Every structure is written in structure tokens, then in C-alpha cells.
């Protein structure tokens, strides 16, 4: 089975990992130019054999048969780096913009996370890359892995500072001690800012992904349990009605 939008080979009855669920806009069918089986009228690629329907009939006779499906399969997704994955999705988006492949298909994006396979390091890289961004969405796995990663990095630096100054953190944070060591005060402030900004903007992006307002971030400012409450809310699953995706604000005119 092949994705009718991007031509990628799929497991039987699985949505395309790049496009999501792709459905034809009507029940009308056409014959595949290569295998002659019926396919949706606006399919870019044959769902049965993966043949590119934009290629003219005559070209098929002169082309080696295996070429067509092979070029669309590429590397398996779980072996792809984040950069390769983004390049591939960008290529498909560009093809649609150029009109090379039809966008006249219903596409329901089912990707839950921005990275193809959410890992700790990939999620940390993502959370750092988007440190100052709130106008997009963040998937649940990417969010929690990124949050754990940022916390571990912060903890590492705190332990390192304790080791360097050879004092427990509680003693280091005394006002009198900080006045005596202004450099330490600056480092601690930077560490606090790094932690708060990365996790604060990530939480807002996670709320956008869950289809709720980013302003729920005010929960974070409740004394004592604020961060706990804000994290509880971040467990909400991705909403199909969300206004932001992994690229930014969803352009609602596009679907009209
Ligand atoms: Zn696809
Ligand atoms: Zn075919």
C-alpha cells in the first residue's frame, strides 16, 4: 500500500507518517496509469503500486518498473534524523505549493510529535530550538522528554556549582553569600532564566497542541504547586481542533 498523496510505501491500513490520514474528496475513481487498478480520482500516486500519476502513459513503458516505487520509499522513518525528516516534509509541502502534486485531497495530520520518533536528545534539541517560540504546538512525548532533559541539564549545573563552591545549595543561596560572590549570583540567575523560559514556552506550546489557550500558563504562577498544576494540564492529548500545529498557526482558509 502507498500513500496517495506523497507516494510513500505504507504498512497495510496505516496512515502515512508524513501526511497523516489521506482521503479522497469524492468517490470518483480513475485507473492507475501503470497497474490499471482503480484509484481515487485526485490521487498523486497509485495506492496499489505507488506509480506517480503525473508521469505520462508512454514513460512507463520505457522506465524500469522498480524505479517508481523505490524513489519514494527512501529511508525508513525510524532511521531518519530530525533534519532528514524535516527536509522530506518540506519537499512535499513545496511540491504541493508548486502544483506538482495535487493538494485536492483531505489530509488529516495524525502526527503527534514533531520528531518522527520522540527521543530524549531529540526532544531536548527541539525544546532548546524553540526556546522563544510560543506560536506553535508541541507534542506530548516531545514535551515531557524535553522537560525531563532540561531539568536534568539544570540539575547537572546546580551540582557542578555546589562542587565548585564546595557548599550545599541552601548555603549558596543565602543573600549574604551571594553578595560576597556576585559572579555566582549571575550564574544562578542565568540558570533560573534558562529553566523558566524553556519550560514556560514549551508548556504554552503544549497547551496549543491540546487545543486550549496558552494563557492557562498562569497556573504556573500559583505559589508552591504552580508548576505541578501546569504539568497536569499538559497531559491533555492532542486536539483535532487545535489552532496551532508544528509549523505554527494553522491557516484555516487553506481548508476552505
Ligand atoms: Zn504521504
Ligand atoms: Zn498502480
Amino acid at each position: 500500500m502507498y500513500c496517495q498523496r506523497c507516494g510513500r510505501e505504507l504498512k497495510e491500513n496505516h496512515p502515512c507518517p508524513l501526511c497523516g490520514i489521506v482521503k479522497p474528496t469524492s468517490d470518483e475513481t480513475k485507473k492507475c496509469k501503470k497497474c490499471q487498478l482503480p484509484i481515487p480520482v485526485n490521487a498523486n500516486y497509485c495506492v496499489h503500486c505507488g506509480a506517480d500519476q503525473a508521469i505520462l502513459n508512454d514513460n512507463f513503458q520505457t522506465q524500469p518498473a522498480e524505479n517508481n516505487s523505490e524513489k519514494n520509499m527512501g529511508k525508513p522513518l525510524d532511521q531518519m534524523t530530525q533534519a532528514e525528516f524535516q527536509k522530506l516534509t518540506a519537499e512535499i509541502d513545496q511540491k504541493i505549493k508548486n502544483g506538482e502534486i495535487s493538494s485536492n485531497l483531505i489530509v488529516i495530520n495524525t502526527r503527534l510529535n514533531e520528531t518522527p520518533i520522540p527521543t530524549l536528545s531529540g526532544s531536548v534539541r527541539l525544546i532548546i530550538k524553540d526556546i522563544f517560540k510560543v506560536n506553535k504546538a508541541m507534542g506530548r512525548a516531545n514535551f515531557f522528554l524535553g522537560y525531563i532533559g532540561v531539568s536534568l541539564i539544570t540539575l547537572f549545573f546546580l551540582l557542578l556549582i555546589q562542587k565548585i563552591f564546595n557548599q550545599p545549595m541552601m548555603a549558596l543561596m543565602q543573600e549574604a553569600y551571594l553578595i560576597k560572590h556576585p559572579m555566582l549570583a549571575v550564574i544562578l540567575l542565568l540558570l533560573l532564566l534558562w529553566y523558566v523560559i524553556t519550560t514556560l514556552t514549551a508548556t504554552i506550546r503544549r497547551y496549543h497542541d491540546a487545543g486550549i489557550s496558552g494563557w492557562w500558563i498562569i497556573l504556573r504562577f500559583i505559589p508552591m504547586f504552580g508548576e505541578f498544576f501546569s504539568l497536569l494540564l499538559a497531559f491533555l492529548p492532542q486536539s483535532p481542533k487545535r489552532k496551532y500545529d508544528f509549523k505554527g498557526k494553522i491557516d484555516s482558509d487553506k481548508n476552505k
Side-chain angles (χ1 to χ4, degrees):
M1 191 186 162
Y2 295 84
C3 175
Q4 55 178 299
R5 181 170 177 260
C6 73
R8 196 175 179 86
E9 191 171 19
L10 307 174
K11 278 190 215 140
E12 209 57 45
N13 294 320
H14 274 62
C16 175
L18 292 172
C19 306
I21 297 169
V22 182
K23 288 179 180 168
T25 40
S26 78
D27 295 334
E28 247 179 285
T29 57
K30 63 183 174 189
K31 270 185 184 171
C32 168
K33 288 177 179 174
K34 191 179 168 200
C35 71
Q36 305 295 313
L37 285 168
I39 55 172
V41 71
N42 42 18
N44 302 310
Y45 295 89
C46 174
V47 289
H48 312 287
C49 71
D52 186 347
Q53 300 301 304
I55 292 171
L56 293 174
N57 251 334
D58 310 307
N59 292 354
F60 274 118
Q61 271 108 51
T62 53
Q63 257 184 356
E66 64 270 35
N67 257 4
N68 266 295
S69 49
E70 258 180 17
K71 77 162 188 267
N72 296 316
M73 269 163 60
K75 242 186 187 178
L77 278 180
D78 48 359
Q79 287 170 24
M80 234 180 242
T81 64
Q82 173 69 4
E84 284 173 324
F85 184 76
Q86 272 171 351
K87 199 177 146 228
L88 198 59
T89 38
E91 267 173 29
I92 293 168
D93 289 340
Q94 192 56 49
K95 273 191 186 174
I96 290 168
K97 245 188 216 159
N98 296 347
E100 281 170 52
I101 58 178
S102 158
S103 59
N104 195 19
L105 290 162
I106 300 168
V107 176
I108 303 160
N109 200 316
T110 52
R111 278 172 56 208
L112 294 177
N113 286 284
E114 191 168 344
T115 63
I117 307 288
T119 59
L120 186 66
S121 62
S123 303
V124 170
R125 253 176 283 146
L126 184 66
I127 210 172
I128 293 172
K129 179 180 76 101
D130 289 342
I131 180 167
F132 296 122
K133 270 187 215 155
V134 289
N135 288 326
K136 63 181 278 191
M138 188 167 202
R140 195 157 51 172
N142 273 157
F143 173 77
F144 282 103
L145 286 169
Y147 215 105
I148 290 168
V150 165
S151 305
L152 287 175
I153 292 169
T154 310
L155 187 68
F156 170 79
F157 280 108
L158 284 177
L159 292 174
L160 191 71
I161 291 166
Q162 284 196 96
K163 188 108 188 115
I164 292 169
F165 286 85
N166 204 17
Q167 293 263 15
M169 199 36 77
M170 285 313 248
L172 289 181
M173 286 192 191
Q174 298 298 319
E175 209 183 317
Y177 194 90
L178 288 176
I179 289 168
K180 256 195 264 169
H181 300 85
M183 205 46 207
L184 175 68
V186 171
I187 291 168
L188 285 178
L189 186 70
L190 286 176
L191 202 56
L192 181 76
L193 276 178
W194 133 267
Y195 179 79
V196 169
I197 296 171
T198 41
T199 56
L200 207 76
T201 57
T203 309
I204 294 173
R205 296 194 299 277
R206 183 69 261 284
Y207 291 168
H208 285 159
D209 189 51
I212 61 172
S213 167
W215 289 108
W216 280 103
I217 196 64
I218 49 165
L219 279 178
R220 177 82 181 256
F221 298 98
I222 296 172
M224 297 288 286
F225 301 108
E227 191 166 5
F228 174 74
F229 289 140
S230 73
L231 283 174
L232 267 190
L233 199 59
F235 271 104
L236 285 173
Q238 186 179 75
S239 163
K241 287 184 191 142
R242 65 198 177 139
K243 294 193 179 79
Y244 298 85
D245 62 15
F246 303 132
K247 288 197 194 95
K249 203 161 167 73
I250 296 170
D251 186 1
S252 53
D253 294 337
K254 246 195 303 193
N255 304 326
K256 275 176 199 162

